[in-house]
Amino acid sequence: MALANCKTCGRLFNRLHNDNCPVCVKEEDEQFFLVRDYLKENRRAMIVEVSEATEVEISTIIKFIREGRLATIDNPNLNYPCDSCGTAITDGRFCKPCKDRLNRGFSQTKDELMDTARKKQGGDYYYKRERDR
Ligand SMILES: [Zn+2]
Ligand SMILES: [Zn+2]
């Protein structure tokens, strides 16, 4: 038993693998089907139109896309702003340039961390031993 507060309504529930309680999960599922069905009929719909037609919050629709639940391949106009710069994107959280930039940033940090770790491990000694083997 792992009790947790639902991320959506705050209700206490037995957390298995969801951040939301069963009530909210069901509600969200219903919203998802609404959106999905609407998009099947209206392939060129924009996110605002989908939201208006289905009465599902734009943020919820974006969440579906980010989670990979809604495929945007068939719906070219279904885009939303990149989390970093606001460019229109159709999957994930960031546009390609931002993703590249972030990836570079991450690997740089990783290298720096490795460097520090190496120094802590006694640096030279460790490497000499590796070479002599
Ligand atoms: Zn809930
Ligand atoms: Zn961006």
Side-chain angles (χ1 to χ4, degrees), residues 11-63:
R11 214 185 320 230
L12 209 61
F13 72 111
N14 184 13
R15 186 175 196 274
L16 292 172
H17 41 253
N18 267 314
D19 284 335
N20 297 319
C21 72
V23 182
C24 289
V25 168
K26 194 163 168 277
E27 212 163 273
E28 207 179 84
D29 276 350
E30 276 160 16
Q31 291 180 329
F32 171 71
F33 291 130
L34 271 176
V35 171
R36 196 197 55 182
D37 288 348
Y38 180 80
L39 283 171
K40 251 192 239 161
E41 307 285 316
N42 306 275
R43 292 203 185 278
R44 307 200 75 80
M46 290 191 297
I47 214 156
V48 190
E49 293 168 339
V50 182
S51 173
E52 270 170 18
T54 58
E55 286 180 4
V56 175
E57 296 270 344
I58 290 180
S59 59
T60 309
I61 302 173
I62 293 177
K63 204 180 104 187

